[in-house]
Amino acid sequence: MRKYWLCCVLIVFPLLFGCHPKKTFLNVSYDPTRELYKDYNAVFAKHWEKTKGEKIEFRQTNGGSGSQARMVIGGLDADVVTLALAYDVDNIGKQSPGLIRKDWQRQFPNNSCPYTSTIVFLVRKGNPKGIKDWDDLLKEDVQIITPDPKTSGGARWNYLAAWGYMLKKELGDLSGLHDPANKERVDAANQKAFEFVKGIFNAKKVPVMDSGARQATNTFVQNRRGDVLLAWENEALYYLDSKGSEELEVVVPSISILAEPPVAVVDKNVDQKQSREVAQAYLEYLYQPEGQEICAKHFYRPSNAAIAEKYADRFKQVELFTIDGVFGGWDAAQKEHFNDGGTFDAIGQ
C-alpha cells in the first residue's frame, strides 16, 4: 500500500506543480557533424522553447554513416537522421519498412540536403610530399589516410571522387559517360579508374583504415600517421582552423565530387514518440538563415544563396561532378562499388 501511494505522489506531484519530465530528441548523425549539431541543437532548443514554450533535450550520436544507419535499423530510436549519403537513408527504409518514407528526399529542399561539401586533401605544413592533385597520391613515398568505404560515408565519397577524376582524365569530358556510342571508350576509362583507385586503397598505401571520418582525421592529425588525409572539405577546414595553420594545410584538387549529406525524419519513431512536429521543424530550421549561418560557420557549403555569397571566400572554387551524373545515383554506385563482391572488394584480391 505504501508503494502504491508513493507511486501516486511521484506521478501526480509533477503534474500539479508543472514539473513535467523533459522530452528528449535524438539526431543520429555521421562522424564530422559533432560540432555542427552541438551548436545547432543549442540554438534550436532555445528557438523551440521560445516559439512553442516547450523544453526539449536535443541529443546526438555520431559515427560512420553506414554504421549509424545500421544502428537505426537495429532499433535505435532516432527522431531524425543526418547522414553522409542518400544510400544510407534509403537503406534504413529498405531494411526496416515504415521507418522512413520512400519519398523522403522530396520532404525538404535540395533533395533534403541543407548543405553540401566536397573531398579535399589535408597535408602537413609546407606540403613536404608535393601533393597537388589526385595523381600525386600514387607517389611511392606517400602514405594515405582514409576511412573504410564499407562503414564510412566519407570514405565512399573519397573513393568515388578519385574514380571520377580518372574518368575525366581519360575521357576529357564526363558528359558522354552514359551514351551507348561511347561504351568502348568508357569501359576502357573505367578500367583505368579501377587500377587508379586500387593504387590508392591498398594496404601498402593506407597503413590504417578507420571505421569513420573523424577517427581517420584523428589518426592523421593527432597520431600523425600518413602524409595526406582524404577528407571532407568541412572536416579539413575545421582542423585547419582549430589546430592552427602552422601544422596543416588544405590542398584542393583540380576536380572533385559534390558531396550531398541528406537529412530525414524517422517516421515510425516520431509517430510512436509523438515528436513529428518538432522533428519536421528541426530539419526545416536548418534551411533558415540562422541554421545556414551555423552550417557555414562549421565549414559546410550552405544551400541559401545569400549565406553562400557571404562566406564565398571560405570555399575555394573547384570543378565538381555529381553522383547522379557520373555514377547513375547512389543505388547504382553502391551496387557496383561497395556491396559484397563489388569493385572495392576486388581491390583487395
Side-chain angles (χ1 to χ4, degrees), residues 107-159:
Q107 194 170 5
F108 302 100
N110 305 320
N111 291 321
S112 291
C113 297
Y115 43 77
T116 61
S117 190
T118 188
I119 301 302
V120 300
F121 309 146
L122 191 63
V123 299
R124 310 293 175 195
K125 185 65 178 177
N127 195 7
K129 297 299 176 71
I131 298 166
K132 297 178 181 178
D133 211 342
W134 291 97
D135 284 324
D136 296 320
L137 299 178
L138 296 189
K139 289 180 178 179
E140 189 173 347
D141 62 341
V142 170
Q143 291 272 286
I144 301 165
I145 299 298
T146 175
D148 185 349
K150 287 287 189 177
T151 55
S152 167
R156 278 174 274 179
W157 288 115
N158 292 347
Y159 178 106

Side-chain angles (χ1 to χ4, degrees), residues 9 13 28 37 71 145 162 167 215 233 281 310 340 342 349:
V9 170
F13 185 86
V28 173
Y37 283 109
M71 289 174 65
I145 299 298
L167 290 181
Q215 290 171 290
E233 178 186 51
K310 179 179 176 180
D340 292 344
Q349 296 176 0

Side-chain angles (χ1 to χ4, degrees), residues 14-82:
L15 295 176
L16 290 174
F17 293 94
C19 302
H20 303 290
K22 184 183 291 185
K23 292 183 179 179
T24 59
F25 179 97
L26 178 59
N27 173 9
V28 173
S29 197
Y30 67 105
D31 254 344
T33 64
R34 299 167 194 268
E35 294 77 20
L36 164 63
Y37 283 109
K38 181 180 179 181
D39 276 4
Y40 181 73
N41 288 347
V43 167
F44 187 80
K46 293 178 181 177
H47 166 74
W48 189 254
E49 184 176 2
K50 181 179 179 180
T51 57
K52 297 293 183 177
E54 184 179 28
K55 289 187 177 182
I56 297 179
E57 179 184 352
F58 291 90
R59 299 183 295 118
Q60 68 187 71
T61 177
N62 297 85
S65 186
S67 301
Q68 294 290 91
R70 286 190 289 275
M71 289 174 65
V72 177
I73 293 167
L76 184 62
D77 65 340
D79 296 88
V80 299
V81 291
T82 56

